[in-house]
Amino acid sequence: MVQRVSATRAFARTAPHVVPVLDRAVHRLTRGKVLLSARMLPGLVLTVPGARTGRPRTTPLACMPEGKVEGAWILVGSNFGRTGHPAWTANLLARPDEAVVNWRGRDIPVRATLLEGEERARMWEAALVFWPPYAAYQRRLEREIRLFRLERR
């Protein structure tokens, strides 16, 4: 049921204004121990300098842990199926070696890589198995949803 609701346009209009705000507040209050949205999907908090300002930008995000060893994650720039790329993707493109994730209460410096070609296609299929609503998001969009791999530095 959660997946069906999250694939709707109503969710895409509402969630970006509610989910990140709640996640940031709870994450801050629990000193990085709890991320509400991680109750549905694994989640992390990404901090990366802004592409234009250089000021730190912090965004709670769903993620797809990659591999058995903690230290690599796939991020899907779906923006809840809204038209534009999420701002955090531009920040990662501009400053791929300056990102830090908070994963389970620990800050981990990471390097971001935009996935393209066959590698992106393979990870997109894995993302659809992981969270099927991504397919509904992509159908609504003219842009290709960006996928990033984050790896420990």
Side-chain angles (χ1 to χ4, degrees), residues 8-145:
T8 65
R9 289 181 191 272
F11 183 82
R13 282 192 303 274
T14 308
H17 305 289
V18 177
V19 175
V21 172
L22 288 173
D23 268 344
R24 278 190 200 97
V26 171
H27 191 258
R28 190 174 31 253
L29 288 170
T30 63
R31 296 188 179 123
K33 302 261 188 278
V34 177
L35 195 59
L36 283 180
S37 61
R39 300 298 176 223
M40 289 189 304
L41 288 170
L44 54 75
V45 176
L46 172 70
T47 301
V48 63
R52 286 180 285 170
T53 66
R55 293 187 4 223
R57 303 295 183 195
T58 301
T59 310
L61 298 167
C63 67
M64 191 169 70
E66 188 176 35
K68 294 185 177 165
V69 178
E70 286 186 0
W73 302 267
I74 300 297
L75 298 182
V76 179
S78 68
N79 204 14
F80 295 95
R82 297 183 311 165
T83 55
H85 290 290
W88 62 264
T89 67
N91 297 341
L92 283 180
L93 289 171
R95 301 172 186 268
D97 295 324
E98 299 178 47
V100 175
V101 298
N102 185 279
W103 173 253
R104 297 181 177 166
R106 292 179 292 135
D107 288 336
I108 302 169
V110 294
R111 176 173 294 106
T113 304
L114 177 65
L115 301 181
E116 299 176 299
E118 278 185 35
E119 186 176 26
R120 186 208 177 274
R122 192 171 49 256
M123 280 299 122
W124 179 249
E125 290 305 315
L128 293 179
V129 170
F130 182 73
W131 189 246
Y134 288 143
Y137 296 170
Q138 186 62 77
R139 279 192 302 274
R140 288 199 298 258
L141 300 171
E142 292 181 23
R143 69 177 173 87
E144 181 177 75
I145 292 175

